[in-house]
Amino acid sequence: MKTVPPVLLPLLLVSSSLFGQVDASSPIATISGGDPGFTGDGGPAKAGRFSFDEVFTVRALAVDRTGNLLIADTGNDRIRQLSTNGVLRTIAGSGRYGFGGDGGTATAASFSNPGSVSVDVQGRVFVGDSENFRVRRINSDETIQTVAGGGSLPVSRLGLSLLLGPVRALDLRLDVVRDIAVDPQGRVYVSTSSQVGSSGFRVKADGYVETGCCPGVFDDQGNLYDSIGDDRVGVIRRNGLRFPGGTTSFGGIGALALDKQGNLYVAEKYARRILKISPNGVVTTVVGTGSVALGNAGDGDGGTAGNAKLGIVNGMTIDPNGNLYFTEMVGTSADITGLLLNRIDRIRKVGNATGGGSPNGAPKILQSRGIVNGASFIGPVARGSWATIYGQNLTTGVTRTWTSSDFVGNRLPTSLEGTTVTFNDIPSAIYFVSPTQINVQVPDGLPNGNVTVRVMTAAGTDSSLGEHREIEPGLFTTAKVTAADGSVYFYPAAVHLDGTLVGRPNIISGSRPAVPGETLLVFGTGFGPSTPTQPSGQLIPSTLLSSRFLARIGSSDFNVSAAALISPGLYQFNLTVPSRPLDRADYLFKIFFPEAQESQVGVYIPVN
């Protein structure tokens, strides 16, 4: 049987569907910074000092693919990284003001006020090298190169020049690089400014440029959220339609950020607040009372975010666990209050509701929906299936998935970064660990009903009851869809026979809908025994599913050509779409057993 493309596997097993959201009750703390300067490399984040710049720092934070925080340390002419284990280091820049180092090691390069930083889907880091009038890229081999700027063609003449043919990004002579952002397709958006105005363009994957809107923040579908002037926010859909800002007027937009649930965060520089706009347009204050921070204990560290005082917020980002980070300048000349304060440059963190605990505290499993099916994200869990555990302090190490070095023969690892998990004292295989989420394979030998799940780290142990069944089917999903009536549903993790994801391209870039008569590959977990039975916790060969089941789209049944357990905990179904005419629509999809167990509701397959 045709099987899952390997690139799909991480998507199936690591999900942020239930990661928390920050709100006014979330804890806030300064994690690094203080008086301007440069200290802390190689040590804990608390020892770090930075020199942010009130002119060039626009969006000075980003998060890489593994959750490390990237910081444009503008005044120190460096790009620095705060790793998930709390260590601070320089990843680019020697600290020398100027230009140099292209083609060599990034840490030996010279910058001139690098004011923005962004990361593409390959993990490469793009830097807006403001006063060198360039966009530079830190490659995966830790070398650095210029990808835009340095040429002789004025960026102000880009539109006219494009009428004559393609223009290379390296041929442009840029003004001051104000901001950069990278969309899911890998295009680099750049905004520049000078005394005579501002302009924006984007660099395509082939190194040529096209006109484009100024940078903002992109969601997973490629929609661009951008400020309109200093007081409004709009969105440009992937199809090019622009939706103007709503009725909310902001007190000077300093930065934008998006979380995985689609909430947009807006930092108000002058109103001294950070607001959250939900996908349905509800605006709430997340951080700040509106009062000016004074750089002392009264600013609110250790309390709730809603009661904090703020300086000027110029950089903001969200990590994979839903935590909010922002750069903050206190006592700057840009402070419109006129207060004479000592200058402070700091980074603060707002911990999310499900995972904001102390990084060295004992683990704590969520009491509600803390142990769930790893595909449907609802309980119960099934023997041999993938399960997800949510909580706080679930590891004292870094966030990561297993690697080949974690295996012993054909045995899956039962410990990652010092975290172990047991079900009724039986060790479970662990695929992924983070402070707020663990993905494990449910072990053999468990009774139906409640079982005791225990998470153990070097900092302590916590246990909770989870419900176990022999069969508890769940379908992996790839994208959330909001219908015209406001209802929400999901596309399944399904591919065409050529490996293309099933979806609508305006929802999932590069996908396409199903068509009647074609065969799709669909994936899930918790579908019960295969023949012969395969043990949990081991690498296994593919074996056929034992139990009889049906697969339905709308009111019609799929023809099932194959169903098998293809790897630990991962089931594949080869399903042929009914050939009778179907309207162009999204249809309810489920796989179910005669005994009434069925996959979760709310999964739809798009058909053309």
Side-chain angles (χ1 to χ4, degrees):
M1 64 184 292
K2 191 172 179 67
T3 57
V4 58
V7 70
L8 192 59
L9 290 173
L11 175 65
L12 302 181
L13 295 176
V14 181
S15 172
S16 57
S17 296
L18 289 182
F19 283 152
Q21 305 173 30
V22 297
D23 57 31
S25 65
S26 301
I28 186 171
T30 295
I31 61 171
S32 197
D35 295 336
F38 176 76
T39 61
D41 266 11
K46 271 290 187 182
R49 291 168 60 189
F50 307 90
S51 185
F52 299 129
D53 189 289
E54 61 203 59
V55 176
F56 295 106
T57 300
V58 181
R59 291 178 178 89
L61 294 177
V63 174
D64 67 17
R65 294 185 300 174
T66 57
N68 300 307
L69 187 67
L70 301 178
I71 306 155
D73 191 352
T74 311
N76 285 318
D77 298 310
R78 288 175 166 91
I79 304 300
R80 302 171 79 182
Q81 178 198 80
L82 200 168
S83 69
T84 55
N85 62 3
V87 175
L88 186 67
R89 72 183 182 101
T90 294
I91 63 168
S94 64
R96 294 186 300 271
Y97 180 88
F99 175 75
D102 269 9
T105 303
T107 51
S110 298
F111 290 101
S112 295
N113 285 325
S116 50
V117 62
S118 190
V119 183
D120 71 5
V121 294
Q122 300 179 48
R124 299 176 300 182
V125 179
F126 290 79
V127 179
D129 195 354
S130 302
E131 290 194 320
N132 281 322
F133 315 116
R134 287 170 166 85
V135 177
R136 302 170 79 181
R137 187 178 71 206
I138 305 168
N139 300 309
S140 56
D141 61 359
E142 300 184 349
T143 60
I144 190 168
Q145 66 184 98
T146 295
V147 295
S152 59
L153 175 64
V155 69
S156 59
R157 294 177 54 193
L158 174 61
L160 180 63
S161 300
L162 285 173
L163 296 176
L164 303 176
V167 175
R168 292 194 318 154
L170 292 174
D171 292 333
L172 291 177
R173 185 177 78 242
L174 305 184
D175 299 314
V176 171
V177 178
R178 296 289 303 184
D179 201 7
I180 58 174
V182 185
D183 72 10
Q185 287 73 45
R187 292 175 296 191
V188 184
Y189 287 64
V190 183
S191 67
T192 65
S193 64
S194 68
Q195 294 180 345
V196 296
S198 61
S199 58
F201 63 92
R202 58 193 174 213
V203 182
K204 299 183 292 183
D206 59 6
Y208 288 87
V209 299
E210 54 191 351
T211 56
C213 181
C214 299
V217 288
F218 294 92
D219 62 19
D220 291 339
Q221 282 73 53
N223 300 311
L224 170 65
Y225 296 78
D226 188 25
S227 59
I228 302 174
D230 206 29
D231 62 354
R232 299 179 72 203
V233 174
V235 59
I236 300 177
R237 301 297 188 194
R238 285 193 67 253
N239 59 14
L241 295 177
R242 178 158 196 143
F243 288 71
T247 58
T248 301
S249 181
F250 301 100
I253 297 173
L256 303 174
L258 271 171
D259 67 17
K260 292 296 185 181
Q261 289 80 23
N263 299 294
L264 178 68
Y265 296 80
V266 182
E268 296 185 288
K269 289 189 294 186
Y270 309 136
R272 305 306 172 99
R273 299 180 301 175
I274 298 175
L275 305 181
K276 178 169 71 175
I277 307 174
S278 71
N280 59 0
V282 176
V283 181
T284 56
T285 297
V286 174
V287 188
T289 62
S291 298
V292 177
L294 301 178
N296 57 32
D299 289 350
D301 277 359
T304 60
N307 289 323
K309 298 177 181 179
L310 293 183
I312 293 177
V313 175
N314 276 332
M316 189 163 60
T317 193
I318 307 279
D319 75 7
N321 297 323
N323 299 301
L324 172 70
Y325 297 84
F326 58 91
T327 62
E328 185 181 22
M329 296 182 292
V330 176
T332 72
S333 61
D335 195 322
I336 63 171
T337 64
L339 294 174
L340 297 176
L341 307 174
N342 292 327
R343 169 73 178 268
I344 290 176
D345 293 332
R346 64 187 177 191
I347 299 172
R348 298 172 89 180
K349 172 185 175 181
V350 180
N352 65 62
T354 62
S358 164
N360 295 315
K364 184 65 177 178
I365 301 171
L366 286 186
Q367 293 305 303
S368 175
R369 300 180 72 186
I371 304 165
V372 294
N373 181 294
S376 65
F377 302 110
I378 55 177
V381 299
R383 172 231 166 251
S385 71
W386 288 104
T388 297
I389 300 171
Y390 290 105
Q392 299 176 8
N393 304 315
L394 300 181
T395 181
T396 58
V398 300
T399 296
R400 73 175 181 94
T401 58
W402 68 28
T403 65
S404 58
S405 63
D406 296 309
F407 288 71
V408 178
N410 71 336
R411 303 290 304 182
L412 309 183
T414 56
S415 177
L416 283 183
E417 298 299 322
T419 295
T420 58
V421 178
T422 62
F423 286 69
N424 280 4
D425 296 323
I426 303 172
S428 63
I430 302 180
Y431 173 79
F432 170 81
V433 292
S434 77
T436 57
Q437 176 182 341
I438 310 174
N439 285 31
V440 299
Q441 188 185 24
V442 179
D444 299 333
L446 300 176
N448 285 335
N450 285 338
V451 295
T452 299
V453 180
R454 184 171 286 111
V455 175
M456 292 158 282
T457 73
T461 299
D462 190 37
S463 62
S464 183
L465 291 179
E467 186 179 357
H468 172 265
R469 293 179 183 171
E470 182 70 12
I471 298 176
E472 185 59 35
L475 294 170
F476 290 107
T477 57
T478 56
K480 181 172 70 174
V481 183
T482 302
D485 62 1
S487 61
V488 173
Y489 56 91
F490 294 86
Y491 286 157
V495 297
H496 302 272
L497 291 182
D498 63 2
T500 303
L501 283 171
V502 175
R504 297 198 183 278
N506 64 313
I507 302 297
I508 306 174
S509 178
S511 67
R512 67 175 189 273
V515 296
E518 77 160 320
T519 297
L520 308 177
L521 313 182
V522 180
F523 305 94
T525 196
F527 285 85
S530 59
T531 303
T533 300
Q534 297 288 5
S536 298
Q538 297 182 27
L539 295 173
I540 60 171
S542 297
T543 57
L544 296 180
L545 188 64
S546 301
S547 303
R548 186 171 65 89
F549 66 92
L550 296 172
R552 184 161 295 168
I553 179 170
S555 59
S556 303
D557 288 341
F558 282 96
N559 175 46
V560 181
S561 57
L565 179 65
I566 62 169
S567 69
L570 182 63
Y571 296 79
Q572 175 181 314
F573 302 88
N574 292 15
L575 309 176
T576 302
V577 181
S579 58
R580 73 176 187 84
L582 293 172
D583 294 334
R584 176 189 170 94
D586 293 359
Y587 289 89
L588 182 66
F589 169 59
K590 66 178 179 179
I591 297 178
F592 61 98
F593 295 85
E595 296 80 7
Q597 299 105 322
E598 62 180 46
S599 57
Q600 73 268 30
V601 298
V603 178
Y604 284 67
I605 288 181
V607 176
N608 269 3

